[in-house]
Amino acid sequence: MATKLKKTTAVEKKLIGLADIVITAADRSKDPTFSIPIRALSNVSFNERKGLIEMGNKKQARSFFNVGMAKKFMQTVLVADALSELQRADLTTSLREIYYRTKHTIKDSHENTFDTQDESDPVIEDLEVSLAALREELHVRAENSGSIVGPVIFGDDGDRVDCARLGKGGYSVPSIVEPEYLEIRRCTADFLLLVEKGTQWNRLSEDKFWRRYNCVLLTGNGQPPRGVRRLARRLHEEYKLPVYVLVDNDPWGYYIYSVVKQGSINLAFESQRMAIPKAKFMGLSSADPERYELPRNVGIKLNEKDIARAKELMNYQWFQKPAWQAEIKRMLTSGLKYELDALANKDFQYLTKKYLPRKLKEKDWLD
Amino acid sequence: MPKKTSSAAVPKPAPPVPRTPEEAAPKKAAAKPAQQVTAVEMGARQREISVSEFFTKNRHLLGFDSPRKSLLTCVKEAVDNALDASEEAGILPDVAVRLEVVPTNGTVPPASQATRFRVTVTDNGPGIVRQQIPRIFAKLLYGSKFHRMRMSRGQQGIGISAAGMYGQLTTGKPVKIISRTGPRAAAHFFEVQIDTKKNEPLVHENKQIEWDRPQGTQVALEVEGKYQKGRASVDEWLEQTSIANPHVKLTYHTPEGEAKEYPRTYHELPPSPREIKPHPYGIEFGMFLKMLQDTKSHWVSGFLASDFCRVSPQLADEICKTAKVSPHLKPRDLKGHAAETLYQTIQNTKIMAPPTNCISPIGEKAILSGLYKQIKGEFYTAVSRPPAVYRGNPFLIEAGLAYGNRPEDQQKPQQPAMPKAEGEHEEEDSELARVIRYANRVPLLFQQSACSTFKAVLNTTWRNYGVSQSRGALPGGPMVIFVHMASVWVPFTSESKEAIADYDEIQKEITLALRECGRRLGLFLRRRERAASEFRRRNIFELYIEEVVDACDRLKGGKLPKAKLKAQLQKIATSRTGGLKTDEALGKTGGGPEGLPHSIIVTAEGVEGEIALADQVERDADPAGVPVEPDLLGDEQPIETPSKKRAAGPQAAKGRIAKSAKGKAAQMPLFSKPAKREKTTRRRA
């Protein structure tokens, strides 16, 4: 799915198509209905050959003259209207601004079109999926919440951004990183390390880990947002950088890794463009505490939610590899989870000076 | 016999028997050696205490604690007496209550700041014979009600004289009474006070006067008090009295100079309760001993058979035989161990439950009309339970329920249409239900949480009936729950008669009555919800069509024939809801009070149910309340838009003469049944 600036008109056409559905149905005295692909586990499948989560063909009908759906239908048309306005004016905006733009009190009533942003966000995702348009193409951006540092040079709005010369703070990854917005001019790194936590990324950046090992350091502060994932994918694709993921040793860390690698269930339709099937799981592995002699007392007892989530993960198709089953089982048996930060128990710079060098040297990672 | 030890002991409501301090000496042994007081000295100090003195010191026991409550108690005692007297004489009571501020230092303070009030209560009752007036109003524990087992509001003969005593204590003013026993008799005016030492009346003034009323009694008290509206106020008490006594016409002149009228909506006196003898199960041993002393019978067997109910001569002989007491023994000679054996034997003998015709319920129709008159709601229902027995005392529970807001009230708060911000919601009803409690038709305003009725309301699972309820709390929503206990002896938790004691049998009956009310409410709410959802359905489309059309127009760059699209969509909406309309009509045929006996439903179109009955003078010999099925008009219109609503309330009820006539027919189940069956079959066909 190539993304070109010229396509904006195509997106606008698609949005106007929604109005046409209503008009045509009205002409024929039919109930106007949109069909929207279902975004749930029931409608995704794991393509083993490609190593991606793919969305299935199941769709749900959203009809106007159905009491349960009437409001959703009305909201969908309103959001489509707001999005087409963005297209015409060639502006980008945030999810929250769309919410405010479309919110008003319906004439002769006390009812608001939207009561909270929780109602408008899913409608936007619905439109992304049903129009097969990317969020960027809809001119909706998320917050910047990622940082990058390392031997890579971008062109952003005509500015040259050299990520090797931005101190320890690095470059803040914008939410839209498509080539027309962000150009990668040069990259001389050998690999890319995606770190879950901002604190650990800071540690590595401060210690200039990227300089010694010639790599790019990227973080998404938790679950990486689209911009970060897409940028990692572009560096992986365009500059052939191997991608390694460094997360906490808990079910949520495993899931972050799997989202980077195969894509997420909710945004399965974007997997093709975001997922990095060759990404490797660097750590923290449930085998590490023993191998790196982390004392038991820096672990945290798994709570009920953790255990339930871990068992859920074991059932996902993309965690069926024996190594992964063993990895998760080992965590469940120990009953403990470990944070990356726990490595500081040995030494403040343990991550930079001991842990990662040894991991890289031993090629100790999971696929 | 109990010793009179100190004045702090809670007195039994029995006439005090003067006792000499004969037992003082042995008690003295425990005196501390440090205090050199001899038995003789102490004996000299020990003397009799009169009831009036006792209550002067302990007036809170009778409900005269705070000035606000005292004012209410004075009104309550006077009104109770007026009602009891009128009803016993077979007169439909017509009672006027007047509260006036008494000027202090020549100025009249506003009602909310006044400290002195004149309470005047006038009735149209039988009047009081001249000789009795001083003692009734100025002697504690004097009256007709204590010595009999009969259902009445007052029970002890303390109330009105205590109110007089309270007035005397706080203002020094005597009680003024006017009474006239008939148009031909002269009206007598009295000014009396109480001699607290002797518990005897002191007559200050006694003369014949001209009075504009042909018959009745008027009591005027001047008391210290505080007038404040709201919870547990005089206003609330009178309003609640009027709910449970719709046969009473009540006029109330507030201290603020306002006149409130509580009209009579039920033109029938409650059946006069019959007097019964005590049931052996309900008598305690001490009481039994006293009865043995006081009886007029010469033999024990005769005593048992004649002084108790449900004890036949045969049964009396049998009891004596089992207890190994000679049936021919003089009751007065039966003492000590033998008396106790006899008492135990009686308790262990199977005796029929007491007769229950001694209780006079308010009746479902009267409760309905009382609730309908005083409380604005959409749904009313009432349940009278059959009589039951606790500890040998017959009693009867009645419950009622008023729910919702009248359609005209629902419209009001919707007027200011303000756009809502995030986090703001439609104002939810955080209001909790109100419980109004009665014992023998008298409202109970205090100690709600100690009352058996209140506990029963909490223990009922209202959620089953479509009403919200948090754990251990009252149900939520605009609702008034009415509970009445009628009994020859209501077991109060204390002398001030504020809460009903928690006997299992009572609790069970209340719960059963509440459940029945709840079931009917649930039925009503489900029907209403169904109708509302149909309405909402159509409304939703109308609301959203505009939005969708506007958005489509903008999407198409403003070049859309908007009117056409709108008309097309509206056409689809109507064709889609056409099917719904029929649904609605179907729902409506079952939407009236059919299957909801003794209920009233108020809708925007008018009133359905039994209210028409209540507005008519009817002599209906059916106090037990055979379930009546008011017939529904077949051509009832489905819900209209609120703008078309007609005024609900009594006017609307009057406008439905046809309906009330039908309701009346339905009251005679014997005659109307065949006719009704015909009608239903026709409707089905």
Side-chain angles (χ1 to χ4, degrees):
Chain A
M1 196 175 289
T3 49
K4 292 272 133 54
L5 192 67
K6 310 287 167 284
K7 252 193 125 183
T8 45
T9 46
V11 169
E12 201 181 346
K13 264 186 201 147
K14 284 182 189 170
L15 289 167
I16 295 172
L18 292 180
D20 288 327
I21 290 177
V22 178
I23 296 163
T24 323
D27 261 341
R28 296 181 188 159
S29 300
K30 290 264 166 60
D31 189 357
T33 304
F34 303 146
S35 70
I36 291 162
I38 296 171
R39 293 177 287 112
L41 184 60
S42 64
N43 193 30
V44 296
S45 58
F46 179 59
N47 184 327
E48 256 177 279
R49 197 173 50 79
K50 290 191 198 159
L52 293 176
I53 296 177
E54 286 181 335
M55 194 157 66
N57 298 321
K58 285 188 209 159
K59 293 192 173 177
Q60 66 187 87
R62 181 168 297 168
S63 319
F64 186 23
F65 293 108
N66 176 315
V67 188
M69 301 183 206
K71 187 162 192 181
K72 264 266 161 84
F73 185 95
M74 180 267 294
Q75 291 173 335
T76 311
V77 182
L78 285 179
V79 170
D81 174 34
L83 291 175
S84 95
E85 191 187 332
L86 285 177
Q87 295 289 328
R88 282 196 299 274
D90 199 15
L91 296 169
T92 66
T93 189
S94 66
L95 291 171
R96 187 127 186 102
E97 280 179 331
I98 297 232
Y99 157 65
Y100 280 128
R101 179 72 191 143
T102 51
K103 178 170 187 164
H104 58 261
T105 303
I106 298 171
K107 207 160 69 180
D108 299 329
S109 80
H110 313 270
E111 206 178 324
N112 285 330
T113 49
F114 294 91
D115 281 320
T116 61
Q117 196 188 332
D118 299 341
E119 291 176 44
S120 69
D121 287 358
V123 171
I124 294 167
E125 282 176 2
D126 286 343
L127 283 174
E128 280 177 55
V129 189
S130 46
L131 303 180
L134 300 173
R135 190 170 289 184
E136 297 76 53
E137 292 176 311
L138 293 175
H139 288 201
V140 180
R141 56 184 144 73
E143 274 175 61
N144 297 1
S145 67
S147 305
I148 188 167
V149 73
V152 55
I153 298 169
F154 296 121
D156 184 357
D157 280 356
D159 298 333
R160 181 174 182 276
V161 181
D162 184 349
C163 295
R165 291 160 166 271
L166 288 173
K168 50 181 169 290
Y171 172 63
S172 162
V173 180
S175 74
I176 303 180
V177 295
E178 295 310 315
E180 56 269 33
Y181 295 94
L182 190 75
E183 177 195 352
I184 306 174
R185 293 194 184 159
R186 216 161 77 102
C187 177
T188 54
D190 294 331
F191 65 94
L192 185 151
L193 186 64
L194 180 60
V195 188
E196 176 187 356
K197 283 186 164 169
T199 51
Q200 298 313 306
W201 182 88
N202 278 334
R203 162 98 281 118
L204 294 170
S205 171
E206 195 180 298
D207 295 348
K208 301 288 178 217
F209 177 83
W210 57 272
R211 194 167 281 160
R212 181 186 294 198
Y213 289 91
N214 191 31
C215 65
V216 171
L217 292 175
L218 189 59
T219 180
N221 293 317
Q223 177 72 260
R226 292 170 187 224
V228 171
R229 284 171 57 198
R230 177 69 185 141
L231 185 61
R233 163 76 180 253
R234 282 188 65 197
L235 289 168
H236 171 72
E237 214 168 43
E238 294 167 30
Y239 292 85
K240 308 291 173 226
L241 297 189
V243 172
Y244 301 100
V245 179
L246 187 63
V247 294
D248 283 347
N249 179 229
D250 59 25
W252 321 99
Y254 293 153
Y255 190 68
I256 287 174
Y257 159 74
S258 87
V259 166
V260 170
K261 191 180 172 79
Q262 288 105 5
S264 71
I265 295 169
N266 196 24
L267 296 175
F269 61 99
E270 303 231 77
S271 299
Q272 298 196 44
R273 185 172 82 83
M274 305 254 228
I276 309 164
K278 284 184 183 158
K280 304 282 188 282
F281 177 81
M282 175 87 78
L284 224 43
S285 156
S286 55
D288 290 348
E290 201 192 328
R291 212 172 291 166
Y292 293 83
E293 288 160 357
L294 279 179
R296 192 178 157 79
N297 59 16
V298 299
I300 300 170
K301 189 176 176 291
L302 289 173
N303 61 33
E304 277 171 38
K305 266 191 185 167
D306 293 332
I307 293 168
R309 184 75 181 129
K311 287 183 177 159
E312 220 175 345
L313 290 181
M314 284 177 79
N315 287 329
Y316 285 156
Q317 254 182 309
W318 47 96
F319 277 113
Q320 292 308 317
K321 287 179 192 158
W324 269 106
Q325 292 284 318
E327 167 77 24
I328 300 173
K329 262 184 204 151
R330 200 182 303 123
M331 178 176 73
L332 284 171
T333 327
S334 78
L336 296 177
K337 57 183 180 183
Y338 291 85
E339 290 184 290
L340 277 172
D341 317 54
L343 294 169
N345 181 259
K346 308 213 75 142
D347 186 289
F348 278 125
Q349 291 185 309
Y350 191 78
L351 178 69
T352 328
K353 295 205 169 148
K354 295 272 166 56
Y355 181 82
L356 284 176
R358 184 174 154 191
K359 277 262 170 185
L360 289 166
K361 202 176 116 204
E362 292 176 2
K363 293 194 178 3
D364 174 21
W365 48 66
L366 278 169
D367 183 28
Chain B
M1 286 306 265
K3 283 178 252 174
K4 275 234 159 196
T5 47
S6 79
S7 64
V10 177
K12 283 275 168 293
V17 185
R19 302 242 94 219
T20 47
E22 66 211 358
E23 291 151 333
K27 250 174 57 189
K28 259 250 49 272
K32 287 179 196 162
Q35 282 170 348
Q36 306 282 312
V37 185
T38 64
V40 182
E41 281 170 329
M42 284 186 77
R45 286 186 217 154
Q46 288 157 342
R47 61 189 176 86
E48 189 194 335
I49 303 143
S50 98
V51 231
S52 351
E53 278 180 305
F54 175 81
F55 283 120
T56 310
K57 278 197 169 174
N58 295 289
R59 61 190 209 205
H60 56 273
L61 293 176
L62 299 176
F64 296 97
D65 32 25
S66 71
R68 183 164 181 245
K69 193 170 168 187
S70 302
L71 184 66
L72 169 62
T73 309
C74 291
V75 174
K76 171 176 147 29
E77 296 299 350
V79 173
D80 282 356
N81 276 8
L83 295 181
D84 270 346
S86 308
E87 280 167 18
E88 201 176 341
I91 300 164
L92 272 172
D94 194 339
V95 178
V97 178
R98 182 184 288 272
L99 286 190
E100 290 161 298
V101 176
V102 176
T104 40
N105 307 328
T107 53
V108 183
S112 57
Q113 261 136 61
T115 52
R116 266 196 189 197
F117 293 86
R118 187 178 300 114
V119 179
T120 314
V121 176
T122 318
D123 66 49
N124 63 342
I128 306 164
V129 290
R130 197 170 64 86
Q131 301 80 347
Q132 292 291 4
I133 292 175
R135 267 173 292 189
I136 283 179
F137 290 97
K139 183 175 168 70
L140 287 183
L141 295 166
Y142 187 89
S144 56
K145 297 168 194 169
F146 184 76
H147 294 279
R148 57 183 188 181
M149 293 282 276
R150 184 178 187 274
M151 180 185 150
S152 58
R153 292 178 177 77
Q155 287 179 334
Q156 295 159 4
I158 296 182
I160 190 64
S161 28
M165 201 172 72
Y166 171 76
Q168 181 181 334
L169 204 69
T170 53
T171 67
K173 294 282 163 64
V175 185
K176 294 175 187 165
I177 302 118
I178 304 174
S179 186
R180 190 171 184 180
T181 52
R184 292 206 203 137
H188 292 276
F189 174 81
F190 272 85
E191 270 190 27
V192 292
Q193 277 200 321
I194 192 164
D195 179 345
T196 49
K197 269 202 179 146
K198 297 190 194 134
N199 186 22
E200 285 297 333
L202 295 170
V203 179
H204 287 279
E205 181 86 62
N206 170 14
K207 61 184 178 194
Q208 285 195 10
I209 56 156
E210 287 293 308
W211 201 32
D212 55 355
R213 287 171 168 263
Q215 192 180 0
T217 307
Q218 173 173 312
V219 192
L221 299 159
E222 200 171 314
V223 296
E224 199 178 278
K226 185 167 164 45
Y227 176 75
Q228 197 183 349
K229 289 184 184 173
R231 278 284 150 96
S233 61
V234 175
D235 301 50
E236 191 190 21
W237 188 83
L238 288 172
E239 189 194 317
Q240 291 194 11
T241 302
S242 142
I243 291 172
N245 300 276
H247 64 288
V248 175
K249 182 181 169 217
L250 203 57
T251 318
Y252 170 40
H253 296 270
T254 69
E256 283 150 345
E258 204 184 323
K260 285 187 189 169
E261 187 88 23
Y262 299 97
R264 178 176 297 133
T265 53
Y266 199 69
H267 301 264
E268 194 182 326
L269 262 179
S272 177
R274 249 177 269 168
E275 195 176 330
I276 60 159
K277 288 172 197 149
H279 190 272
Y281 285 173
I283 293 289
E284 264 139 28
F285 184 57
M287 189 68 174
F288 182 72
L289 285 178
K290 189 173 165 290
M291 286 174 75
L292 279 172
Q293 296 300 310
D294 297 348
T295 181
K296 290 188 186 108
S297 304
H298 301 292
W299 292 353
V300 171
S301 62
F303 159 71
L304 290 177
S306 61
D307 282 21
F308 291 101
C309 68
R310 297 301 199 210
V311 181
S312 62
Q314 291 94 320
L315 188 62
D317 283 339
E318 215 173 283
I319 292 170
C320 292
K321 216 171 121 194
T322 327
K324 300 201 172 70
V325 173
S326 161
H328 306 301
L329 198 68
K330 263 193 185 168
R332 234 157 293 195
D333 295 342
L334 192 64
K335 276 183 186 146
H337 186 68
E340 206 170 329
T341 320
L342 181 62
Y343 178 76
Q344 286 307 331
T345 314
I346 295 171
Q347 299 305 314
N348 296 332
T349 313
K350 202 166 184 250
I351 304 170
M352 216 175 150
T356 47
N357 55 5
C358 51
I359 311 169
S360 140
I362 302 176
E364 281 149 341
K365 279 185 220 115
I367 296 175
L368 265 185
S369 71
L371 286 173
Y372 181 75
K373 178 180 64 166
Q374 286 303 325
I375 294 165
K376 288 193 163 183
E378 286 168 87
F379 175 75
Y380 303 85
T381 192
V383 173
S384 280
R385 295 282 310 159
V389 176
Y390 81 92
R391 247 191 45 201
N393 295 311
F395 74 99
L396 182 148
I397 295 296
E398 292 174 291
L401 198 145
Y403 183 90
N405 302 311
R406 286 264 167 96
E408 64 260 33
D409 295 332
Q410 288 171 345
Q411 296 304 317
K412 275 173 207 156
Q414 290 188 6
Q415 291 310 322
M418 219 176 28
K420 278 189 292 297
E422 193 173 318
E424 268 184 344
H425 295 287
E426 216 45 89
E427 250 181 54
E428 277 162 43
D429 272 324
S430 52
E431 184 187 354
L432 289 183
R434 218 174 107 203
V435 183
I436 54 178
R437 306 168 290 134
Y438 296 88
N440 286 349
R441 289 161 184 265
V442 179
L444 307 176
L445 299 186
F446 299 94
Q447 290 200 21
Q448 173 171 268
S449 49
C451 190
S452 180
T453 55
F454 186 72
K455 289 176 195 162
V457 172
L458 292 188
N459 292 338
T460 306
T461 320
W462 292 93
R463 275 190 226 182
N464 294 350
Y465 312 123
V467 182
S468 68
Q469 184 183 23
S470 319
R471 192 173 253 277
L474 284 171
M479 178 154 70
V480 173
I481 299 166
F482 170 108
V483 184
H484 174 229
M485 172 170 180
S487 177
V488 290
W489 188 263
V490 179
F492 288 110
T493 55
S494 69
E495 283 77 8
S496 48
K497 300 209 237 173
E498 288 165 347
I500 299 173
D502 209 357
Y503 283 95
D504 283 351
E505 296 90 338
I506 298 174
Q507 179 91 10
K508 185 184 146 209
E509 281 295 315
I510 301 173
T511 309
L512 287 174
L514 287 174
R515 279 190 199 152
E516 180 56 32
C517 285
R519 262 192 294 278
R520 292 180 195 168
L521 174 67
L523 207 57
F524 163 75
L525 287 177
R526 275 195 299 279
R527 282 179 194 177
R528 199 183 61 165
E529 180 51 40
R530 203 164 52 207
S533 73
E534 303 292 349
F535 183 70
R536 222 177 300 136
R537 238 160 151 168
R538 223 180 322 157
N539 238 12
I540 278 178
F541 301 141
E542 268 167 35
L543 273 180
Y544 297 162
I545 282 174
E546 191 98 355
E547 291 291 328
V548 169
V549 169
D550 283 351
C552 284
D553 179 47
R554 285 193 298 271
L555 274 169
K556 296 294 275 181
K559 285 174 284 183
L560 197 72
K562 265 164 67 171
K564 184 184 156 209
L565 181 61
K566 203 168 147 186
Q568 282 173 332
L569 287 173
Q570 270 165 350
K571 210 176 129 200
I572 304 174
T574 21
S575 76
R576 298 243 158 195
T577 43
L580 302 179
K581 254 183 198 162
T582 35
D583 280 355
E584 210 167 61
L586 281 173
K588 193 61 191 176
T589 46
E594 261 183 4
L596 288 173
H598 302 292
S599 303
I600 299 175
I601 294 177
V602 180
T603 62
E605 291 83 48
V607 186
E608 300 171 42
E610 292 182 0
I611 189 57
L613 308 176
D615 281 341
Q616 293 168 347
V617 185
E618 269 175 343
R619 303 267 158 206
D620 170 34
D622 164 27
V626 174
V628 173
E629 277 189 33
D631 213 339
L632 235 203
L633 287 182
D635 57 352
E636 263 296 304
Q637 286 299 307
I639 291 177
E640 291 171 78
T641 46
S643 59
K644 284 189 188 167
K645 82 186 163 72
R646 269 177 266 155
Q651 297 94 328
K654 257 177 233 157
R656 295 185 162 237
I657 301 158
K659 185 178 259 185
S660 67
K662 252 179 203 174
K664 201 175 178 185
Q667 269 207 303
M668 295 173 278
L670 269 178
F671 297 101
S672 65
K673 243 173 203 159
K676 221 192 267 171
R677 192 129 310 148
E678 251 176 47
K679 205 172 288 163
T680 37
T681 45
R682 212 189 311 136
R683 204 185 293 155
R684 246 172 239 146

